Amino acid sequence: MKLLNVGCGGHRPQQEHWWNLDTLRDFLQEGTPERTNLDAEPRYIDCNLLHQSIPYRDEFFDGILIQHVLEHFTCHETTIVLGACRRVLRPGGLLVASVPDVGYFLSVYEQDKRERSVELFGESISGDWQDAQCEKFFDYALFHREHKQVLNMEGLCALLLRSGFDRASVTPFDPPLENQVASEIRQQLNRLKFSAILYAYK
């Protein structure tokens, strides 16, 4: 089983069936402990998907996780990223995409206060992410300064279709528990309280 974690950031599973892809060497200075650890990881791939191909052959991976990444691209850039993922996904392989769900943010908007962020979103407002002065998680996370799209389930589905996935293959429902690829990817999902998640088969 070969799994790819796209836009991994600091969440990089180290099991031998996981590969982690991002552009972290652009941000982590050489000689720092974080960069030293990254450089020692045998299956980390430094790759900008808007300008480079994933350095693996077509249909190499059994599953792909792209979690809280797509909102960092424009809709047109997103189709490039998803198209690159689709290329290296084997026929019948599974892509799991997760984005901040604007529908959830709106559903709790009136209750969204700094002191309730853990209760409503599963995490607190932290000064090392964006503006520590934000009083709403809505401003802090949904409108993060690096986000270029506001998405929900329908928007995510449209992006997957535009990227070549078949409508019948895209579903919000988890595959059966005996699906080993889905089970492995599910273990890496986070931010579940405020995420829209879709499963798409190639």
Side-chain angles (χ1 to χ4, degrees):
M1 178 171 50
K2 298 183 287 291
L3 305 175
L4 178 64
N5 180 22
V6 174
C8 57
H11 182 77
R12 302 190 297 274
Q14 295 301 305
Q15 298 95 320
E16 63 181 11
H17 51 271
W18 277 102
W19 281 255
N20 297 295
L21 182 148
D22 210 324
T23 57
L24 298 176
R25 289 196 176 102
D26 290 345
F27 306 101
L28 299 179
Q29 188 174 356
E30 286 190 47
T32 61
E34 295 85 359
R35 177 63 181 269
T36 301
N37 290 338
L38 181 76
D39 289 342
E41 293 177 13
R43 288 173 302 282
Y44 172 73
I45 309 159
D46 207 79
C47 180
N48 184 328
L49 293 183
L50 296 181
H51 306 293
Q52 301 166 266
S53 295
I54 298 173
Y56 288 88
R57 61 174 169 75
D58 294 1
E59 303 177 357
F60 182 79
F61 291 100
D62 301 297
I64 296 175
L65 172 63
I66 186 160
Q67 176 170 231
H68 284 251
V69 172
L70 299 177
E71 64 274 10
H72 291 262
F73 299 100
T74 68
C75 62
H76 297 290
E77 290 170 340
T78 298
T79 62
I80 294 170
V81 170
L82 288 173
C85 292
R86 190 175 182 280
R87 177 187 69 80
V88 297
L89 189 64
R90 69 165 175 80
L94 176 66
L95 181 140
V96 180
S98 167
V99 296
D101 181 6
V102 64
Y104 179 76
F105 281 84
L106 293 177
S107 73
V108 299
Y109 187 80
E110 297 304 324
Q111 296 81 45
D112 183 1
K113 312 284 185 204
R114 173 184 283 269
E115 61 271 17
R116 297 190 66 186
S117 63
V118 173
E119 172 194 348
L120 295 173
F121 299 97
E123 56 190 82
S124 61
I125 293 175
S126 164
D128 63 359
W129 186 3
Q130 192 186 359
D131 182 0
Q133 303 306 311
C134 288
E135 291 302 321
K136 284 185 174 290
F137 211 80
F138 177 88
D139 301 308
Y140 170 71
L142 189 65
F143 284 92
H144 186 280
R145 63 176 173 243
E146 294 177 2
H147 290 180
K148 297 180 180 179
Q149 296 185 78
V150 174
L151 292 165
N152 59 11
M153 203 77 82
E154 290 80 8
L156 179 56
C157 181
L159 291 167
L160 287 164
L161 300 187
R162 183 68 179 86
S163 304
F165 288 89
D166 184 80
R167 180 67 185 92
S169 79
V170 179
T171 175
F173 303 109
D174 288 2
L177 292 175
E178 61 269 16
N179 183 317
Q180 188 179 8
V181 169
S183 177
E184 287 286 337
I185 291 176
R186 262 195 299 265
Q187 292 176 42
Q188 303 303 325
L189 287 171
N190 56 37
R191 298 176 175 166
L192 297 178
K193 266 188 173 293
F194 62 95
S195 296
I197 303 170
L198 284 177
Y199 298 81
Y201 287 94
K202 182 174 177 182

